[in-house]
Amino acid sequence: MNNPNIRIVSAAEAVQVVKSGDHIHLSSVASAPQCLIKALCDRGDRGELRDVFIHHLHTEGPAPYADPKYEGIFQSSQFFVGSNLRRATQEGYADYIPVFLSETQKLYRCGALPIDVAMIQVSPPDKHGYVSLGTSVDATLAAVECAHTVIAVINKYVPRSFGQAMIRMSEIDIWCEDDTPLIEAPFTAPNEVETAIGKHCAELIEDGACLQMGIGAIPNAVLAQLGGHKNLGIHTEMFADGVLPLVESGVINGMNKVTDPGKMVSTFLMGSQEVYDFIDDNPGVLMMDVGYTNDPHIISQNPNFTAINSALQIDLTGQVCADSIGTKHYSGVGGQIDFIYGSSLSKNGKAIVAMPSKTNKGISKIAPVLNPGAGVVTTRAHMHWFVTEHGAVNLYGKTLQERARLVISVAAPEHREELDRAAFERFGPHHTYIKMECGM
């Protein structure tokens, strides 16, 4: 790239700014700067660094800094446990900072977490002296604002997205270049169970609703059922390929949104190249700071806000575990509570937790009590709609005994008797009485 205002250095030269004891932020998901990660690990191999802390949301691609050989050199202290760091976290070679996704930016801005170096990927500069953070604004914008040094990798594959993704070239201290394509997440076709969940969720979504949902088979299954809906909006922490057909058909147009009407709002993306191409130079998409997208009070301003989130396990009272399997951390708190709380404050809003009733091995994901050590992400007091392939039930305003009855009604049929016995043991014959009174 020829730009007289930029001096391009190698990744190896750029990471020389890192000192032992520094705290580093990496841009997230598809935008993780792999060339800088590799160069940093090369310095670790040469014994040049000690006690360097690495922070980020979940990243795609390799995370070599969490290899056991770097113990004492690099410490991954992440805001969300991705698949590439799951085993290292469970074995203690990486660590996790429990935090609402909306507050990841606040950790930097309020000084709770130091930030010495921000390592990011950006689009090529435009004629006005701006680059774009592309697919990863999230907490990265806060890192850019607060870091002592900002290293940017110019990558022609980073889309030029708008909103708060646009930053001035003057905010960047060191420039590198790497034209490695962004990592893609292939579209996952829903199976029979996921399709059934999608149908139940779609029945709860009204015309004119504003939606939040993530990536994966269940969100895709929900979106696939919305072709007959009208005037939907998007205000979410992320979206993927499933929204594109609905945008093209006009189902998603944002015309009923109160905040950012007519615009799709997100804070990071993970999808196919088609998604990355879609947001490139697209004024209809705003990539915003996670402190904005995940602010419950911003969310709640949109009427009929419908948030759909997933879980790993739920108990009979409506406590939801979404970040761990027992004591083993599997993901993170993420934005689940941000959107469940925000949507519950919205006029006619709906907060939905959707998941298969059992694992692939046939184990019930609905349990009498959560596994020992399981983290409660969504409390029983936050819980509203719960959906499995067997139906949708609303737990809001229900007693513990009523909740047990409702949750059991959408459990896998082969597990209902066992769950009902557990409810009887916990609540006594009153559980059976309520069951009869409600005609179930």
Side-chain angles (χ1 to χ4, degrees):
M1 184 196 71
N2 295 318
N3 189 314
N5 298 317
I6 294 178
R7 174 178 174 262
I8 300 293
V9 302
S10 67
E13 183 177 346
V15 300
Q16 290 299 313
V17 72
V18 177
K19 306 180 300 297
S20 293
D22 275 356
H23 287 253
I24 297 172
H25 175 84
L26 302 178
S27 54
S28 311
V29 198
S31 286
Q34 295 296 336
C35 67
L36 296 178
I37 292 172
K38 181 181 182 304
L40 195 65
C41 288
D42 288 342
R43 288 196 65 192
D45 290 333
R46 295 193 295 270
E48 298 175 3
L49 296 169
R50 296 288 299 177
D51 300 323
V52 173
F53 293 85
I54 299 177
H55 310 292
H56 52 74
L57 277 70
H58 96 268
T59 59
E60 295 293 320
Y65 45 85
D67 189 289
K69 72 177 182 178
Y70 292 120
E71 188 171 15
I73 298 174
F74 302 121
Q75 172 63 56
S76 171
S77 301
Q78 62 213 293
F79 308 140
F80 191 92
V81 181
S83 59
N84 58 352
L85 283 167
R86 192 164 292 145
R87 181 174 179 179
T89 303
Q90 293 173 356
E91 293 178 349
Y93 294 106
D95 209 348
Y96 163 61
I97 299 175
V99 61
F100 296 126
L101 194 63
S102 60
E103 295 188 0
T104 54
Q105 49 78 31
K106 185 178 179 181
L107 292 176
Y108 294 137
R109 288 179 170 135
C110 78
L113 197 63
I115 174 68
D116 299 293
V117 182
M119 297 184 176
I120 65 177
Q121 280 205 109
V122 298
S123 67
D126 63 22
K127 63 182 180 181
H128 303 292
Y130 284 83
V131 294
S132 176
L133 292 170
T135 62
S136 177
V137 178
D138 43 70
T140 297
L141 180 61
V144 169
E145 293 171 358
C146 299
H148 298 144
T149 305
V150 179
I151 306 173
V153 178
I154 299 170
N155 187 332
K156 67 181 182 181
Y157 291 104
V158 172
R160 185 172 176 267
S161 62
F162 295 128
Q164 291 174 293
M166 284 292 188
I167 60 174
R168 292 184 179 276
M169 293 169 62
S170 58
E171 296 184 62
I172 295 167
D173 302 295
I174 301 173
W175 298 89
C176 302
E177 193 169 17
D178 179 29
D179 286 336
T180 301
L182 301 186
I183 295 174
E184 299 180 55
F187 180 86
T188 304
N191 59 29
E192 184 178 348
V193 168
E194 292 154 349
T195 298
I197 294 172
K199 289 180 179 178
H200 293 309
C201 289
E203 291 173 356
L204 298 174
I205 298 172
E206 301 177 21
D207 288 343
C210 187
L211 304 180
Q212 173 262 332
M213 58 186 70
I215 189 174
I218 289 178
N220 288 340
V222 176
L223 292 164
Q225 304 297 323
L226 299 180
H229 280 62
K230 298 177 181 178
N231 303 326
L232 300 179
I234 295 291
H235 181 107
T236 186
E237 61 196 25
M238 70 166 301
F239 66 82
D241 293 67
V243 304
L244 301 187
L246 297 176
V247 175
E248 294 167 2
S249 66
V251 170
I252 292 176
N253 55 34
M255 66 178 297
N256 286 359
K257 291 179 66 181
V258 171
T259 63
D260 309 302
K263 308 287 187 180
M264 297 174 61
V265 173
S266 186
T267 193
F268 64 87
L269 296 177
M270 186 66 202
S272 70
Q273 186 61 45
E274 188 177 359
V275 173
Y276 306 150
D277 292 341
F278 171 73
I279 71 167
D280 185 47
D281 269 328
N282 186 347
V285 178
L286 301 180
M287 297 297 295
M288 304 294 284
D289 187 293
V290 72
Y292 178 82
T293 60
N294 286 48
D295 183 338
H297 300 288
I298 297 293
I299 294 164
S300 68
Q301 292 177 38
N302 293 290
N304 298 309
F305 199 103
T306 304
I308 302 174
N309 287 273
S310 60
L312 296 170
Q313 190 181 47
I314 185 172
D315 74 5
L316 293 180
T317 71
Q319 292 188 118
V320 172
C321 174
D323 66 346
S324 66
I325 299 175
T327 59
K328 300 292 186 181
H329 275 282
Y330 188 83
S331 55
V333 172
Q336 184 167 126
I337 281 292
D338 297 332
F339 279 98
I340 282 181
Y341 186 52
S343 60
S344 69
L345 295 175
S346 161
K347 183 178 180 180
N348 299 320
K350 292 187 178 78
I352 301 170
V353 172
M355 70 178 192
S357 64
K358 58 185 178 182
T359 69
N360 293 334
K361 296 181 179 179
I363 300 170
S364 179
K365 298 180 75 170
I366 298 168
V369 294
L370 298 180
N371 291 342
V376 176
V377 171
T378 295
T379 72
R380 55 173 72 102
H382 286 100
M383 193 63 180
H384 287 228
W385 285 94
F386 176 57
V387 176
T388 74
E389 70 272 26
H390 300 293
V393 293
N394 191 359
L395 306 185
Y396 187 65
K398 303 298 191 294
T399 68
L400 295 177
Q401 295 177 35
E402 290 170 332
R403 284 163 176 252
R405 173 183 55 79
L406 290 170
V407 169
I408 292 169
S409 75
V410 294
E414 64 270 28
H415 292 295
R416 291 177 190 173
E417 183 178 349
E418 179 184 358
L419 291 168
D420 200 60
R421 188 180 306 114
F424 181 86
E425 292 173 354
R426 181 168 184 174
F427 301 118
H430 308 289
H431 169 69
T432 306
Y433 172 76
I434 289 175
K435 187 175 178 181
M436 293 171 61
E437 283 287 295
C438 295
M440 292 191 63

